[in-house]
Amino acid sequence: MGHILSSLSSTGYILAAIFALGLIVVIHELGHFLVARYFGVRVDVFSFGFGPRLLGFKRGPTDYRISALPFGGYVRMAGDNPSEERAGAPDEFLSKPRWQRMLIALAGPAMNCILAIIMFAVIFGGSTQQPVYSDKPIVVAGVSKASPADKAGIQPGDTLVSINGAENPTWERAGWETELSAPNVQIPVTIERQGQLITTSVRATFNAGEMFGYPAERTVVDSLTADMPAARAGLRPADQIVSVDGERIESFVQFTQAVERHEDRPMQIGILRNGHPELISVRPVKHDFGDGHGLRWSIGILPIQKADQHTVEKGALDSIKFSLWYSARFSQQFMVIVGQLFVGKASPKEFLGPLGIVTISGRAARHGLGNLSRLMALISLNLAVLNLLPIPILDGGHILMLGIEGLLRHDLSLKTKERFIQVGFVFILLIFAVVMYNDVLRFFVHQ
């Protein structure tokens, strides 16, 4: 399958993305269908896609069909629209007890959650290559200047004993906290420094090193820039940098800071070459890396990323446990972002509509089945959380209305239900219009 994805044309990537997204929605509708049938609700249509019916078959009362527009799917249950005429038959949706209707509404998001958990367990399970420091306690070897870690007061030599309530975290946990934290929120951190505990908070970013500092890791030269000081001084790929002016180098960040401090003054770099120590004198120069940060002091080397790795085996039980934790944390992060949208702390521009989702899904497909599968799992989880929001026309809105009726011990009037649905429809339509506008704008800007 990965080979198939890698050989697809651009149109093929988009079609693969549309199919993948349609599958997620069909899984959602399958949840409604299965629980509806379990409770004896007649399902008239189960459709993959929308629009005109292309082909299908009928089994029992249900027309299983493939429709013209492959952007999802739907289930049409008998008597599920309060504004339409009903026969009052026992197999109609509105004839069932509220608790059964509530479970039918809940089943769609539940199926998306189950799909995401299974996919994450498969994606994160088995054998993986990880840096040797990944399962070690967080002892900071280097901190970038002006980074969130630096601003929070984290210093080289500090041990992070708590991150966001997680005690004795590892570097791997720090990476997940980075990925699963909403941007710009403050993450509580407890530091141990010379036997004292210091409590601070770090602004969340998408870079674990920027948030918490960098681990001790060998700085091994991967490549050199021609006509730069390192190449002229005789440094070679595979050389390990172990010291600068006699000070031990624990990380590449620490090394770059030493280069910046020296400016244009000579620096004595201690290296290991084929296990033998050598000393090389280098004078940094100003260099523009083309990253928008202007001229910086450099000697012209790139290190091997994650120079030391080992194989980590994660069994089925551990994979499921991690998948459950990851899904819960991702859902929490997503809810924070949605909450920020409602209070004006986040912009609708940060959200993707159908065009944006198809575009990034197509890009993920280009990079293989693993990336597309992970994106599908994330979208499935997003769909579950969004559908549980208490907004009319969404599953969460139906559950809210059923809960209100349960408390009142009688059905709301047809007029009230229609107003409830109309408000939700207008709200969703406005949000959809905004994200679609941003999608189109983003699409043309990047052409």
Side-chain angles (χ1 to χ4, degrees):
M1 182 66 177
H3 174 71
I4 294 172
L5 284 173
S6 65
S7 63
L8 286 173
S9 65
S10 295
T11 303
Y13 291 128
I14 298 301
L15 291 176
I18 290 173
F19 179 81
L21 296 174
L23 185 61
I24 291 170
V25 178
V26 168
I27 291 292
H28 177 96
E29 297 301 332
L30 181 63
H32 295 312
F33 173 82
L34 291 175
V35 178
R37 294 300 301 128
Y38 178 79
F39 287 128
V41 176
R42 188 176 82 249
V43 178
D44 295 330
V45 177
F46 188 112
S47 176
F48 180 87
F50 295 93
R53 184 183 193 273
L54 295 180
L55 55 97
F57 62 92
K58 192 164 185 177
R59 178 170 294 172
T62 307
D63 178 21
Y64 299 89
R65 64 173 67 164
I66 296 176
S67 299
L69 301 175
F71 298 110
Y74 66 93
V75 168
R76 188 165 71 229
M77 291 175 277
D80 63 354
N81 190 338
S83 63
E84 293 179 354
E85 251 187 74
R86 293 174 48 223
D91 62 355
E92 290 183 346
F93 177 74
L94 292 174
S95 298
K96 299 299 178 182
R98 292 190 192 93
W99 68 270
Q100 292 185 6
R101 284 181 274 160
M102 194 175 290
L103 288 177
I104 292 170
L106 189 62
M111 282 291 281
N112 283 127
C113 286
I114 292 169
L115 174 65
I117 289 167
I118 292 172
M119 291 183 75
F120 285 139
V122 172
I123 291 165
F124 297 130
S127 299
T128 56
Q129 287 291 312
Q130 294 185 7
V132 292
Y133 59 77
S134 62
D135 56 356
K136 301 291 191 298
I138 301 176
V139 180
V140 180
V143 177
S144 295
K145 289 181 180 178
S147 66
D150 187 32
K151 292 176 180 178
I154 297 174
Q155 300 176 8
D158 287 348
T159 299
L160 274 57
V161 296
S162 174
I163 296 177
N164 205 19
E167 301 294 328
N168 302 314
T170 61
W171 284 105
E172 181 185 23
R173 181 60 181 265
W176 291 123
E177 288 293 338
T178 302
E179 180 174 328
L180 296 171
S181 295
N184 297 320
V185 302
Q186 293 293 321
I187 306 299
V189 173
T190 303
I191 301 165
E192 183 181 346
R193 182 182 300 157
Q194 297 177 351
Q196 292 186 329
L197 295 180
I198 302 168
T199 301
T200 184
S201 61
V202 179
R203 179 178 61 84
T205 68
F206 294 114
N207 185 306
E210 294 291 302
M211 279 180 67
F212 305 116
Y214 291 86
E217 185 179 23
R218 291 191 309 150
T219 298
V220 180
V221 178
D222 183 37
S223 61
L224 301 102
T225 304
D227 298 324
M228 286 286 284
R232 291 197 299 265
L235 275 169
R236 302 174 190 169
D239 286 348
Q240 179 185 346
I241 298 173
V242 295
S243 67
V244 171
D245 295 340
E247 178 187 357
R248 183 171 177 79
I249 295 299
E250 299 283 0
S251 71
F252 185 66
V253 172
Q254 183 188 4
F255 176 72
T256 58
Q257 290 174 348
V259 171
E260 290 170 2
R261 284 197 307 271
H262 276 77
E263 298 184 345
D264 62 347
R265 299 188 305 273
M267 54 193 296
Q268 302 298 314
I269 299 179
I271 66 168
L272 284 178
R273 178 175 293 165
N274 298 323
H276 301 291
E278 294 189 27
L279 200 62
I280 294 178
S281 180
V282 179
R283 185 190 297 268
V285 296
K286 281 284 185 92
H287 182 70
D288 189 345
F289 291 86
D291 55 6
H293 294 289
L295 294 170
R296 300 200 300 276
W297 294 107
S298 172
I299 65 170
I301 69 166
L302 285 175
I304 295 175
Q305 297 293 325
K306 300 177 177 59
D308 299 303
Q309 295 194 324
H310 64 164
T311 302
V312 176
E313 294 281 349
K314 191 171 284 185
L317 186 59
D318 288 337
S319 299
I320 293 170
K321 284 181 179 177
F322 179 79
S323 177
L324 289 168
W325 174 84
Y326 184 90
S327 299
R329 281 301 311 276
F330 183 84
S331 300
Q332 180 187 30
Q333 175 205 18
F334 186 71
M335 285 301 298
V336 169
I337 295 173
V338 171
Q340 289 177 340
L341 174 66
F342 280 100
V343 299
K345 291 184 177 179
S347 169
K349 292 181 180 180
E350 299 175 20
F351 291 81
L352 295 174
L355 179 60
I357 292 173
V358 168
T359 301
I360 64 168
S361 299
R363 290 174 187 163
R366 289 176 185 271
H367 292 92
L369 182 61
N371 284 323
L372 181 60
S373 298
R374 185 168 180 178
L375 183 61
M376 282 180 63
L378 292 173
I379 292 172
S380 185
L381 205 52
N382 281 350
L383 182 63
V385 175
L386 276 175
N387 267 280
L388 287 173
L389 293 177
I391 297 172
I393 84 168
L394 297 181
D395 294 326
H398 291 305
I399 293 169
L400 174 64
M401 188 162 58
L402 288 166
I404 292 171
E405 289 180 340
L407 290 173
L408 296 175
R409 296 179 181 273
H410 65 79
D411 287 353
L412 297 172
S413 69
L414 179 59
K415 187 175 182 180
T416 301
K417 289 181 179 179
E418 286 178 342
R419 291 286 182 270
F420 192 71
I421 291 170
Q422 286 170 0
V423 169
F425 181 76
V426 171
F427 177 80
I428 294 296
L429 196 62
L430 285 172
I431 293 294
F432 182 78
V434 171
V435 297
M436 277 300 293
Y437 171 79
N438 290 325
D439 267 3
V440 173
L441 197 63
R442 192 183 293 115
F443 179 79
F444 283 109
V445 165
H446 288 89
Q447 290 305 299

